[in-house]
Amino acid sequence: MACVLYPGSFDPIHNGHVELAEIASELFDEVVVAALVNPSKGDGLFDLEERMFLIGESLKHLSNVRTTKFNGLVVDLATEVGADFIIKGLRAVSDFESELQMAQMNTALSGVQTLFLPSASRSSFLASRLIREVIRLGGDVSQMVPELVQKHLEEKF
Ligand code: PNS
């Protein structure tokens, strides 16, 4: 029974994340999607509780996916949930350098391996940072995030 941890900031979850979780749920017996703090990204828009709620609602159609939040090292969470692997999405070559560095650090810390999945081309431009910016400036992100996420984003601004 293979369990995979899909960690991220998810501030907020968007359709590219949903797509990756759907693929992971087909490939693995159990998927844990976790909202974590990215120390390089500051406080963020949604707190971890809100992010976890929006992840859970957006992925409730996937029966083998559960959600959690964690404020600490991702490798400690991987141990806590019994994950065999960490999974990450790659949108473009530009993602690869930092993701590779994190993967190697996580392997050095605990031995856990990271698997990379390419995002589909229709999702490869999606980034939570851009979605926050577009909605803050009055743009339409309805094709880029789940409906509930759009509602919560609109309430924030
Ligand atoms: O969606 P993101 O911002 O690319 O996700 C990055 C995240 C949250 C997975 C990363 O910052 C992380 O693992 N944070 C937890 C703290 C940690 O373990 N840092 C060392 C990673 S090498």
Side-chain angles (χ1 to χ4, degrees):
M1 167 120 174
C3 172
V4 71
L5 173 64
Y6 176 22
S9 303
F10 300 110
D11 188 30
I13 184 168
H14 57 61
N15 290 348
H17 296 132
V18 172
E19 172 196 279
L20 198 95
E22 287 172 346
I23 295 168
S25 89
E26 282 176 23
L27 294 175
F28 296 93
D29 300 303
E30 190 188 0
V31 182
V32 180
V33 183
L36 279 100
V37 173
N38 182 338
S40 65
K41 287 189 178 168
D43 280 347
L45 179 63
F46 293 101
D47 65 31
L48 282 186
E49 197 66 46
E50 291 173 300
R51 295 182 210 180
M52 187 179 75
F53 169 73
L54 292 175
I55 295 167
E57 288 299 306
S58 305
L59 302 179
K60 65 182 177 195
H61 58 294
L62 303 172
S63 59
N64 61 341
V65 173
R66 65 186 172 96
T67 60
T68 189
K69 61 183 167 65
F70 194 69
N71 197 349
L73 285 174
V74 69
V75 291
D76 289 338
L77 179 62
T79 303
E80 192 177 303
V81 302
D84 301 292
F85 305 101
I86 290 171
I87 199 162
K88 289 290 199 79
L90 289 181
R91 289 166 297 195
V93 177
S94 51
D95 281 342
F96 184 69
E97 203 173 333
S98 61
E99 290 295 347
L100 178 66
Q101 193 176 24
M102 283 195 274
Q104 289 169 330
M105 172 61 88
N106 289 331
T107 302
L109 287 172
S110 74
V112 70
Q113 294 290 344
T114 298
L115 307 175
F116 295 125
L117 278 179
S119 69
S121 55
R122 68 177 179 280
S123 303
S124 60
F125 66 96
L126 291 177
S128 300
R129 177 182 59 81
L130 288 180
I131 283 164
R132 294 194 301 271
E133 183 175 311
V134 169
I135 198 131
R136 184 180 291 122
L137 298 173
D140 178 9
V141 296
S142 57
Q143 303 304 307
M144 302 168 198
V145 296
E147 207 177 321
L148 185 69
V149 173
Q150 188 192 359
K151 235 177 98 195
H152 280 248
L153 278 167
E154 284 168 357
E155 282 165 14
K156 284 273 180 197
F157 295 103

